[in-house]
Amino acid sequence: MLLSSIALGVAGQFFLKSGALKLGRVEASNAISHVLSILTVPDLLIGLACYGLGAVVYILVLTRVKLSVVGPTVALSYVFSVLLGYFVFKETIPGVRLVGLGLIVAGVILVVWQPK
């Protein structure tokens, strides 16, 4: 269930980015129309729905797993978001960001690792 929550969050980020690209760049002159347009862009609505469903699943996970494990594990969504940005939106990943992602993964492993 935890991985489902993370996947829904990452899917939400994907659809929100996709919808934001369809909205176009926000400026002071078009900010209000952009906010109102959010309700008319399907990608944005799907993204918000994914976030909502992910939050529901996250709550269910919290009934079974310690917050001290679940909270840091959700940081894996950062890793998946960077990879999504790279592969889908053709964003670059500087070396220092790769190091940061490696530290996140190492940190999550240390948090969930239970030595015997």
Side-chain angles (χ1 to χ4, degrees):
M1 279 187 356
L2 178 57
L3 291 178
S4 296
S5 176
I6 293 169
L8 284 164
V10 173
Q13 291 179 21
F14 166 77
F15 284 109
L16 291 178
K17 175 65 176 179
S18 176
L21 291 173
K22 291 176 182 174
L23 274 179
R25 188 178 182 103
V26 66
E27 306 288 342
S29 61
N30 65 6
I32 293 173
S33 68
H34 270 55
V35 170
L36 297 174
S37 295
I38 289 172
L39 297 174
T40 65
V41 179
D43 290 17
L44 295 175
L45 297 176
I46 293 169
L48 292 171
C50 286
Y51 267 139
L53 187 55
V56 169
V57 174
Y58 184 78
I59 292 166
L60 297 176
V61 170
L62 288 174
T63 68
R64 303 182 65 159
V65 183
K66 293 179 182 179
L67 178 62
S68 61
V69 173
V70 174
T73 305
V74 173
L76 289 175
S77 66
Y78 300 140
V79 175
F80 295 125
S81 294
V82 170
L83 294 174
L84 195 63
Y86 178 77
F87 288 110
V88 176
F89 297 109
K90 309 301 181 206
E91 298 173 356
T92 60
I93 305 175
V96 70
R97 193 171 300 154
L98 287 174
V99 171
L101 293 175
L103 291 171
I104 290 171
V105 171
V108 169
I109 289 170
L110 290 173
V111 167
V112 300
W113 182 42
Q114 297 179 8
K116 294 180 182 186

